[in-house]
């Protein structure tokens, strides 16, 4: 099953499975709320974690993202982007503008460098021309992460995320299910997921993948590899107890894994924050021969 977004007026014209239709397939983000909650969670996790300095630094960036989303909002009509061929915010459908660079400039001017290395990276980015920044952003959006320094990528992606999450929040469309096996990339912007989350509330028990770029979440059935759709020989690893809220879901067919976070076991859990705080689980899982199929925007390879 894959997810496609169509104009709301076309929804009744589409035939879809009656059971799937009852399940919310897609949640568009509320940028400011997301960033405020994430910053709070990062600060909480930093108080008792071996990565406390880095979690606190990430919290500072996320607080700035929340301010940017509030004070420098984007308002555009995206109705013309809903078509049958591409996700609405994918590069094939919406070429990258330079609006996100305004967010980057504000971010670089407002951040407090906590180390000499961070100060150097900020200064390097400030020396980039608009075209150089544009090219680096395109590399990242196309998944060519090794073409951009990991430290620079963190700031560039954070700025892109503020821009794309606001665009996603303004899409006036509805999601429908299609009978294909493509569900590993975001149906809104075509980016990789961070992890999957099992929700509480009215969607209790349903699993959604969380986008690393636009912050949207889309439905994927549980006990199923999010990369290859394999439903056999799925393993789960955790660091402490079997009932841990954070586990890695590992596939023996394609040897990939992705974190799965359970709000029923910890209602305060936040996808990006808790993924960073559980880096040791990534290390242990990769030692077992599995490769991560998602990405965290605060953890780019150096």
């Amino acid at each position: 099953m894959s997810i496609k977004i169509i104009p709301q007026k076309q929804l009744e014209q589409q035939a879809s499975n009656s059971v799937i239709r009852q399940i919310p397939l897609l949640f568009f983000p509320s940028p400011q709320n997301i960033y405020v909650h994430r910053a709070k969670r990062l600060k909480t996790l930093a108080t008792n974690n071996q990565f406390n300095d880095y979690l606190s630094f990430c919290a500072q960036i996320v607080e700035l993202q929340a301010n940017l989303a509030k004070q420098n909002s984007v308002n555009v009509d995206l109705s013309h982007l809903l078509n049958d061929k591409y996700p609405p915010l994918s590069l094939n459908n919406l070429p990258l503008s330079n609006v996100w660079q305004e967010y980057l400039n504000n971010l670089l001017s407002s951040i407090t460098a906590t180390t000499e290395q961070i100060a150097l990276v900020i200064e390097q980015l400030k020396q980039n021309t608009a075209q150089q920044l544009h090219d680096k952003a395109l590399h990242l959006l196309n998944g060519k992460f090794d073409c951009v320094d990991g430290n620079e990528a963190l700031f560039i992606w954070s700025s892109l995320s503020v821009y794309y999450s606001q665009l996603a929040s303004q899409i006036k469309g509805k999601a429908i299910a299609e009978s294909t096996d493509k569900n590993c990339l975001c149906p809104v912007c075509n980016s990789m997921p961070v992890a999957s989350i099992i929700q509480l509330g009215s969607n209790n028990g349903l699993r959604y993948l969380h986008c690393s770029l636009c912050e949207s979440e889309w439905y994927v059935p549980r006990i199923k590899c999010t990369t290859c759709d394999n439903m056999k020989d799925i393993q789960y690893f955790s660091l402490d107890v079997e009932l841990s809220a954070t586990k890695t879901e590992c596939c023996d067919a394609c040897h990939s894994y992705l974190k799965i976070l359970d709000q029923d076991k910890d209602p305060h859990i936040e996808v990006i924050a808790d993924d960073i705080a559980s880096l040791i689980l990534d290390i242990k899982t990769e030692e077992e021969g599995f490769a991560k199929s998602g990405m965290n925007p605060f953890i780019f390879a150096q």
Side-chain angles (χ1 to χ4, degrees):
M1 181 193 79
S2 68
I3 293 173
K4 181 173 69 175
I5 304 169
I6 62 172
Q8 187 169 356
K9 64 182 180 180
Q10 295 182 15
L11 184 61
E12 294 181 357
Q13 303 172 6
Q14 300 293 331
S16 61
N17 183 284
S18 60
V19 175
I20 294 297
R21 188 183 299 173
Q22 297 173 12
I23 296 175
L25 297 176
L26 179 67
F27 293 103
F28 295 114
S30 174
Q32 191 179 354
N33 290 339
I34 286 176
Y35 296 132
V36 169
H37 172 53
R38 182 171 300 153
K40 182 178 179 180
R41 180 63 172 174
L42 283 164
K43 290 180 179 179
T44 299
L45 292 171
T47 60
N48 188 29
N49 191 285
Q50 58 187 308
F51 305 114
N52 62 313
D53 289 342
Y54 189 63
L55 288 166
S56 297
F57 173 67
C58 292
Q60 181 187 170
I61 293 178
V62 176
E63 286 182 327
L64 291 173
Q65 287 179 302
N67 290 334
L68 289 171
K70 179 180 180 180
Q71 299 172 9
N72 303 78
S73 60
V74 175
N75 293 291
V76 292
D77 180 8
L78 301 173
S79 57
H80 64 288
L81 298 178
L82 301 183
N83 57 58
D84 292 338
K85 196 169 184 181
Y86 301 113
L89 301 185
S90 64
L91 289 175
N92 287 325
N93 211 33
L94 180 67
L96 179 64
S97 74
N98 285 339
V99 174
W100 71 273
Q101 293 192 28
E102 297 176 16
Y103 293 126
L104 178 62
N105 291 333
N106 284 322
L107 191 66
L108 296 177
S109 299
S110 303
I111 195 82
T112 299
T114 54
T115 66
E116 291 184 7
Q117 182 183 21
I118 293 173
L120 179 60
V121 173
I122 291 173
E123 188 58 34
Q124 288 174 342
L125 279 171
K126 287 181 177 179
Q127 299 304 315
N128 277 231
T129 65
Q131 185 59 50
Q132 288 174 320
L133 292 173
H134 183 80
D135 291 342
K136 290 179 179 181
L138 286 179
H139 283 317
L140 294 176
L141 293 174
N142 283 310
K144 299 178 180 179
F145 303 126
D146 57 345
C147 293
V148 182
D149 176 80
N151 292 315
E152 292 187 350
L154 186 155
F155 293 101
I156 293 172
W157 195 275
S158 295
S159 305
L160 287 168
S161 182
V162 175
Y163 175 60
Y164 275 94
S165 64
Q166 290 190 82
L167 293 181
S169 71
Q170 297 175 54
I171 293 176
K172 301 294 191 295
K174 296 293 183 180
I176 62 171
E178 294 186 303
S179 297
T180 71
D181 293 332
K182 299 177 180 179
N183 61 24
C184 59
L185 296 178
C186 177
V188 179
C189 68
N190 208 44
S191 297
M192 298 169 67
V194 178
S196 63
I197 186 164
I198 299 173
Q199 295 193 355
L200 278 176
S202 59
N203 302 309
N204 187 33
L206 298 181
R207 188 257 289 269
Y208 291 83
L209 290 176
H210 188 102
C211 180
S212 59
L213 179 65
C214 77
E215 308 281 359
S216 297
E217 293 186 345
W218 66 102
Y219 172 74
V220 177
R222 294 173 63 175
I223 316 178
K224 179 180 184 179
C225 177
T226 56
T227 300
C228 73
D229 281 333
N230 171 53
M231 300 181 69
K232 298 180 180 180
D233 301 320
I234 302 295
Q235 301 184 58
Y236 295 89
F237 297 138
S238 64
L239 289 178
D240 37 45
V241 297
E242 184 178 348
L243 297 179
S244 173
T246 301
K247 297 181 180 179
T248 50
E249 185 176 61
C250 308
C251 176
D252 280 342
C254 67
H255 303 290
S256 72
Y257 81 90
L258 198 66
K259 294 256 184 73
I260 182 166
L261 312 172
D262 194 339
Q263 287 185 330
D264 187 45
K265 296 181 175 64
D266 185 351
H268 303 293
I269 213 163
E270 199 284 323
V271 176
I272 287 180
D274 283 82
D275 185 55
I276 300 171
S278 56
L279 276 173
I280 296 299
L281 180 56
D282 289 275
I283 295 172
K284 297 296 184 181
T285 302
E286 289 170 8
E287 287 176 352
E288 297 294 326
F290 297 96
K292 192 169 188 175
S293 61
M295 60 86 69
N296 190 304
F298 288 95
I299 310 172
F300 286 95
Q302 301 301 309

